[in-house]
Amino acid sequence: TISFQVFNTFGNIFGLTNDVNPDNLFSGLTLSHLFNLYSNNENQFVKLVKTFESLRDAGEPLVTTLEGLEVIDNEFWGIKGGWTVDVTIIHMFGVPQKFVDELPDDIAPAPDGRERIEFDHFTNPLYASVPNVAAVPLGTPLDFFGNTVQALGFELPVEPARMAHILTSWVIKRAWNGLVGIDGEVKFGGFQELFEEEEEEEEKEEPTSSSQTHLHFRSQTFTLCALLFWFLL
């Protein structure tokens, strides 16, 4: 489910984790807790899940921006809290129905008696792991310029890897002008709007030194785009 995926992928950044030992240096709570869960007096985890569910039900890719997240202190990463950030998230989980609708019928056809997409993934065995493509099993014979070699365990099969590549490009294109959920509400304003705002702010700035030009924050609120999480099944 989307809630399960969101918890496993993004829960730690809000302090939601199965590992709650504060004395463990490598616990998820210690390493990855970056934002106040109740930023803007709203549970941001619940908001993210509902947004993604609405987009999924509308057949859209899972892209949204959580605005005004309150950054907290994180000693491990040396982050000083007390400011806010807009975080744009692209969650590559499952295959959007509107992407499938644009594919030719002979691409990733469903097995007899099955739908083309079930539980958000292709039913065609070759593409079942898209977009988080599973590596070729260790020791699998592969053709390498006419020679047979054994897979090392990290090679990606060509067809599903290419499908994931095409899907990723489609996600950016589809979300360029914004995304609307199943409830008819705008869930993402679009990359075009996002980048145009960035460019306008940059044009207004007057650099004062090379160091400030290299690394600067436009104000206490800036846009972190894009924060990509690829959840490997």
Side-chain angles (χ1 to χ4, degrees), residues 14 32 41-42 52 62 69-70 80 90 107 111 125 152 157 162 170-171 178-179 192 223 229 232:
F14 295 111
S32 306
N41 297 316
E42 181 178 12
F52 281 166
L62 308 184
L69 295 185
E70 300 167 12
K80 182 66 176 176
I90 306 174
I107 301 297
L152 300 178
R162 178 56 178 156
W170 178 88
V171 166
L179 298 170
Q192 182 179 26
T223 300
F229 286 90
L232 303 180

Side-chain angles (χ1 to χ4, degrees), residues 25-225:
L25 178 63
F26 298 101
S27 74
L29 184 63
T30 301
L31 294 181
S32 306
H33 192 187
L34 303 175
F35 307 118
N36 176 11
L37 175 63
Y38 291 97
S39 297
N40 304 314
N41 297 316
E42 181 178 12
N43 188 312
Q44 296 298 310
F45 173 79
V46 172
K47 179 180 180 180
L48 186 59
V49 169
K50 289 183 176 179
T51 297
F52 281 166
E53 287 178 339
S54 182
L55 288 169
R56 188 271 313 275
D57 293 344
E60 300 287 6
L62 308 184
V63 186
T64 192
T65 297
L66 297 178
E67 298 181 348
L69 295 185
E70 300 167 12
V71 180
I72 66 170
D73 293 339
N74 185 302
E75 294 183 4
F76 182 85
W77 294 112
I79 297 174
K80 182 66 176 176
W83 48 290
T84 60
V85 61
D86 297 342
V87 180
T88 293
I89 300 175
I90 306 174
H91 189 30
M92 297 300 294
F93 168 73
V95 181
Q97 185 62 52
K98 289 184 178 178
F99 172 76
V100 177
D101 293 342
E102 295 183 19
L103 293 177
D105 293 338
D106 59 344
I107 301 297
D112 292 341
R114 303 284 297 278
E115 297 293 331
R116 207 172 185 187
I117 292 288
E118 293 179 2
F119 302 104
D120 302 316
H121 287 82
F122 285 113
T123 54
N124 186 299
L126 180 60
Y127 299 100
S129 64
V130 173
N132 308 118
V133 179
V136 176
L138 181 67
T140 301
L142 299 175
D143 177 73
F144 184 73
F145 295 103
N147 298 310
T148 300
V149 298
Q150 292 187 339
L152 300 178
F154 55 79
E155 298 90 344
L156 298 180
V158 175
E159 291 90 344
R162 178 56 178 156
M163 179 69 81
H165 180 195
I166 294 170
L167 171 58
T168 302
S169 298
W170 178 88
V171 166
I172 301 301
K173 180 179 179 181
R174 180 72 189 177
W176 190 253
N177 293 313
L179 298 170
V180 176
I182 194 67
D183 55 4
E185 296 182 1
V186 174
K187 304 300 181 182
F188 178 56
F191 289 112
Q192 182 179 26
E193 176 184 276
L194 194 63
F195 292 138
E196 285 180 350
E197 289 179 355
E198 294 278 330
E199 292 175 357
E200 290 175 359
E201 290 180 2
E202 287 179 351
E203 290 175 356
K204 295 178 182 178
E205 293 174 349
E206 296 183 2
T208 56
S209 69
S210 59
S211 61
Q212 288 176 328
T213 303
H214 176 69
L215 178 61
H216 60 275
F217 301 128
R218 293 180 177 85
S219 64
Q220 289 187 338
T221 303
F222 70 96
T223 300
L224 184 62
C225 176

